Amino acid sequence: MPGIAAKLLLGVALTLAATFVLLILAGLVAGLLAPFLGSVPISYNFRSIKARWTSTIVAVLGIAGTVGVFVAMLSLANGFQATLVASGSPGNALILRAGSPTEMMGGVTLDAVRVVQDAPGVARDSSGPLVTQEVVGVMPFPLISTGTDANVQVRGVSPNVLRIRTFAKITDGRMFRPGLSEIVAGRNASRTYAGLTLGNTIQFGGGHWQVVGIFDAGGSAFDSEVWCDAKILNEILKRPDNIFQSVTVHLASPESFQQFKDAVTSDPRMNVDVTREIDYYAKQSTVMTRLITVLGGLVAAIMAVGAVFGALNTMYSAIAERGREIATMRAVGYSSWNVVLSFLFEALSISFVGGILGCLAVLPLNGLTTNTMNFQTFANVAFAFKITFDLLLLGVVFGLVMGVLGGMLPAIRAATRPVAVALREL
Amino acid sequence: MVRVDGSGGSNSLIQVRGLDKTYRRGGGEIRVLQGLNLDVDKGDFVAFMGPSGSGKTTLLNLLGGLDVPTRGTITVAGDEITHMSGHKLTEWRARHVGFVFQMYNLIPVLTAFQNVELPLLLTKLSKAQRRKHVETVLHVVGLADRMNHYPRQLSGGQEQRVAIGRAIVADPTFLLCDEPTGDLDRQSADEIMGLIEQLVKEYGKTVLMVTHDPVVARRAGRTLHLEKGLLAESAEPQGVAAGGRHEI
């Protein structure tokens, strides 16, 4: 019985939610079409808005602030996701120990690496198969901004890594030399953490390391990393020298993935999972992206309640001030529908301006870099706010929805008040 | 010919039979109109007088389809309006009734031209046709040179002229004027009454007007007194009678 009741309740809730969404959509469409359907002149609405400019500005700013926060939060999530997704290439495959959700928990033996190197579908050049077996560790580095330590992902890679991650380029200095305590730092890491400047020697993991190069990984998460020789890092971290945490393979072509995967996973000596690199990083981004979206959505929702009340207040006061006008228009033959559309159009005009202003206000954030911890690796990732056209459109629609919510009730009240009563109370 | 005894024939423009209006206030009932009868022919100019609370405005609201009676019927030009739906009544009002209010009730953010044009936006007239109608009407009410002025830029008398223009622009079947001179000085009131008389005499308009002012009431063709929810004819001689007519 409780199960049936819960299902019924869920059904009712879903129906109510669907009705609510439909009403909002209907209101939006009706309001936007008002100038074409209704007969109340648009100039009436625009001039009325102008005549009550103080309350209009309050409503516009409320909606602009809410839309701004909404777009900023989503652009943050968007930027984080884009950074991690950019870390993967569709032409690369990632090999992890079977069942291992992240590199941090991976374990691939040197024997398994040999099998991978000989597998079909792997790209090769004059130096041999394009495979990098990697080790990752998290080390504390002081932030330039605060001086406090933050976790940085240090990645031990094969010397041929730049031919596998072709989007990464050394922009200053040179690549590290195998067998030496040399590192190359990602562009963001170099800007964010103290000591990661070209030519500098730093200490971590019990050893001294010279920064010999800065690399640009195209705005991906690798830009926040420090790379060095995998063998040296294994030694420093006191790990067995024949165990790696992941292997990344550059495929002969993106279409070779299935052939490669089938060959590796069907080999009885192998106990590994094979995924496209791009899928792995996309999956890594989900937790943080969801967190930012939910938290941002929550903040925007709370602000939206305030903004809707602002719009409600503006529209109710507009109606109170214009009771005589509304009653007169209805007396001379304007229908309730005309009045609802007219006020809805007015509310939508206010919220549209608010939405546009909110979007414009956050546009300067686009490309601004910030840091957060990736919960999968526990290392800091630098990423940029990424404001796209879709997000701006969503922001304006969000503003319009607030306009409908704030304008609908006052519009209905204006339209349903008995004309004779409204005229008599003036 | 105006009659209040229910003896009018079916040719009357406005025919009211057994009209009752009762308001509920604080658990009690106030019966404002009690079985009222009225017949008004096309071209009549009727003034309703009576003490405050006698039901003059209520009667006007009922005749204009702004309110519904408790009992009785109102028939205008063959349409029985008392049982019309709200939507139908709105359409009917747009086609048949021109309202003139004591406080003019102009839209302050619209110009005189736009205020007069308002009822025409509900019609299928083109923009050019609407413009022609509005200009003609503003000429009739003597405000051709004020069409781009906002209400705040006009005197009270001029505002009421704009309101009259708005009331007649769609060529309604009849005009309902609720204290049209109540907010005006004597000279402006005279001018407004002159204009209303002109509408009746020259253009054959049917006008029903509520007023407290006996001087104003005397300008009408007939004055009716509302007392105890019923209409009674005045014995005083009356002013206007329909003469040669023009089409607006």
Side-chain angles (χ1 to χ4, degrees):
Chain A
M1 281 302 279
I4 295 169
K7 278 182 185 172
L8 268 174
L9 209 63
L10 185 69
V12 171
L14 284 175
T15 310
L16 284 175
T19 311
F20 181 70
V21 169
L22 281 175
L23 274 176
I24 295 283
L25 283 176
L28 260 175
V29 172
L32 291 171
L33 291 178
F36 311 103
L37 297 176
S39 307
V40 179
I42 304 174
S43 56
Y44 168 66
N45 297 108
F46 286 138
R47 287 178 191 172
S48 298
I49 288 171
K50 197 177 150 197
R52 295 172 295 102
W53 63 273
T54 43
S55 59
T56 300
I57 284 176
V58 171
V60 164
L61 290 181
I63 288 169
T66 308
V67 169
V69 168
F70 179 73
V71 173
M73 288 293 182
L74 288 183
S75 69
L76 212 57
N78 212 15
F80 184 78
Q81 192 173 31
T83 298
L84 285 196
V85 170
S87 306
S89 159
N92 286 355
L94 185 77
I95 296 99
L96 295 174
R97 180 172 55 82
S100 172
T102 68
E103 280 182 295
M104 301 298 284
M105 298 176 204
V108 183
T109 63
L110 191 58
D111 293 337
V113 175
R114 305 260 186 261
V115 173
V116 168
Q117 286 172 334
D118 293 337
V122 176
R124 291 161 200 284
D125 66 5
S126 55
S127 64
L130 297 180
V131 174
T132 170
Q133 54 272 34
E134 301 184 347
V135 182
V136 287
V138 174
M139 303 288 172
F141 279 77
L143 286 163
I144 293 172
S145 56
T146 61
T148 55
D149 283 349
N151 287 340
V152 177
Q153 185 145 304
V154 180
R155 181 178 293 273
V157 296
S158 301
N160 64 348
V161 67
L162 296 180
R163 291 202 292 280
I164 293 152
R165 298 203 177 96
T166 50
F167 54 87
K169 312 269 184 236
I170 297 288
T171 54
D172 283 307
R174 58 171 174 82
M175 188 60 173
F176 64 81
R177 281 179 295 200
L180 296 179
S181 296
E182 293 179 343
I183 58 171
V184 288
R187 189 184 51 174
N188 283 332
S190 174
R191 284 182 196 153
T192 311
Y193 305 103
L196 291 178
T197 48
L198 190 63
N200 199 27
T201 300
I202 58 167
Q203 194 176 357
F204 71 83
H208 291 274
W209 301 79
Q210 194 185 1
V211 183
V212 297
I214 306 295
F215 68 90
D216 181 348
S220 68
F222 295 122
D223 272 329
S224 302
E225 292 185 351
V226 170
W227 289 357
C228 61
D229 187 345
K231 285 180 186 166
I232 304 292
L233 188 61
N234 250 348
E235 279 174 29
I236 292 286
L237 297 175
K238 296 183 173 50
R239 291 177 186 168
D241 60 2
N242 63 340
I243 302 284
F244 302 92
Q245 281 166 290
S246 68
V247 179
T248 300
V249 169
H250 190 54
L251 297 165
S253 73
E255 292 73 37
S256 310
F257 174 76
Q258 200 56 47
Q259 181 196 17
F260 169 75
K261 183 180 178 180
D262 291 345
V264 170
T265 53
S266 62
D267 190 315
R269 294 168 293 174
M270 303 291 278
N271 182 29
V272 294
D273 286 334
V274 179
T275 50
R276 276 193 197 273
E277 196 184 30
I278 196 167
D279 294 337
Y280 170 78
Y281 283 105
K283 199 174 169 189
Q284 271 213 334
S285 70
T286 51
V287 174
M288 182 52 89
T289 304
R290 198 175 297 147
L291 186 73
I292 296 172
T293 308
V294 168
L295 282 179
L298 200 67
V299 172
I302 292 167
M303 287 186 72
V305 172
V308 165
F309 275 105
L312 268 172
N313 188 41
T314 302
M315 294 312 293
Y316 269 126
S317 65
I319 283 160
E321 285 169 22
R322 285 145 67 188
R324 175 187 299 181
E325 296 167 30
I326 297 162
T328 306
M329 280 200 280
R330 291 183 60 207
V332 300
Y334 284 89
S335 66
S336 304
W337 177 239
N338 288 145
V339 172
V340 167
L341 284 182
S342 175
F343 275 90
L344 214 47
F345 176 72
E346 203 166 307
L348 284 176
S349 303
I350 291 171
S351 58
F352 180 73
V353 174
I356 295 286
L357 276 183
C359 288
L360 288 177
V362 295
L363 265 185
L365 289 179
N366 193 32
L368 196 75
T369 307
T370 183
N371 290 283
T372 191
M373 191 173 71
N374 182 351
F375 287 152
Q376 253 75 30
T377 62
F378 301 106
N380 255 20
V381 178
F383 64 101
F385 284 83
K386 190 174 165 68
I387 299 175
T388 59
F389 177 75
D390 292 357
L391 271 190
L392 294 176
L393 198 65
L394 197 64
V396 173
V397 170
F398 182 54
L400 291 177
V401 167
M402 282 190 279
V404 171
L405 287 174
M408 185 75 95
L409 284 178
I412 290 173
R413 179 177 153 77
T416 52
R417 211 154 166 238
V419 181
V421 174
L423 286 170
R424 195 162 47 230
E425 286 177 358
L426 297 173
Chain B
M1 182 72 177
V2 179
R3 297 177 200 84
V4 294
D5 56 4
S7 65
S10 57
N11 293 334
S12 303
L13 178 70
I14 300 169
Q15 197 174 60
V16 179
R17 292 290 178 268
L19 197 67
D20 263 34
K21 182 64 184 178
T22 305
Y23 290 110
R24 291 174 193 281
R25 293 263 165 79
E29 287 190 345
I30 304 167
R31 200 173 171 201
V32 181
L33 302 178
Q34 305 183 28
L36 184 146
N37 294 315
L38 176 67
D39 287 273
V40 178
D41 289 341
K42 187 172 179 345
D44 281 342
F45 181 8
V46 188
F48 297 106
M49 292 193 74
S52 294
S54 60
K56 303 184 295 296
T57 298
T58 298
L59 176 60
L60 228 55
N61 287 341
L62 291 170
L63 291 172
L66 296 178
D67 203 353
V68 287
T70 312
R71 263 186 301 278
T73 60
I74 298 168
T75 308
V76 178
D79 294 331
E80 215 239 81
I81 66 165
T82 30
H83 294 108
M84 281 184 183
S85 66
H87 176 66
K88 285 262 177 213
L89 208 51
T90 303
E91 282 183 353
W92 176 85
R93 273 202 308 269
R95 220 170 45 246
H96 292 285
V97 194
F99 289 95
V100 179
F101 302 98
Q102 179 180 352
M103 302 302 293
Y104 333 126
N105 292 16
L106 298 178
I107 310 293
V109 295
L110 299 182
T111 61
F113 182 95
Q114 290 167 324
N115 267 287
V116 173
E117 192 188 21
L118 266 183
L120 294 183
L121 295 173
L122 295 164
T123 67
K124 289 178 179 168
L125 292 177
S126 68
K127 195 175 175 184
Q129 288 171 316
R130 290 201 306 266
R131 179 158 201 93
K132 196 177 167 196
H133 275 67
V134 174
E135 283 174 353
T136 305
V137 162
L138 283 171
H139 180 76
V140 168
V141 299
L143 287 175
D145 58 337
R146 296 278 192 278
M147 63 173 71
N148 293 319
H149 285 59
Y150 288 93
R152 65 176 180 278
Q153 298 168 319
L154 301 172
S155 68
Q158 288 172 328
E159 281 195 75
Q160 194 60 297
R161 283 170 180 274
V162 175
I164 291 171
R166 181 181 63 192
I168 62 173
V169 73
D171 194 19
T173 308
F174 64 107
L175 298 184
L176 293 176
C177 308
D178 192 357
E179 300 273 10
T181 59
D183 201 47
L184 298 175
D185 57 60
R186 177 53 64 195
Q187 189 188 338
S188 299
D190 280 345
E191 287 170 7
I192 290 299
M193 287 316 299
L195 179 58
I196 293 175
E197 282 174 347
Q198 184 191 352
L199 293 174
V200 176
K201 276 187 194 170
E202 294 182 25
Y203 300 100
K205 295 290 165 198
T206 307
V207 178
L208 289 84
M209 175 181 72
V210 162
T211 183
H212 272 111
D213 187 344
V215 178
V216 168
R218 273 199 289 275
R219 308 278 289 262
R222 185 65 59 90
T223 299
L224 301 175
H225 287 270
L226 245 176
E227 279 174 33
K228 296 178 182 172
L230 287 170
L231 281 171
E233 288 192 67
S234 167
E236 283 185 52
Q238 298 290 157
V240 78
R245 292 169 184 178
H246 306 284
E247 290 298 317
I248 294 178

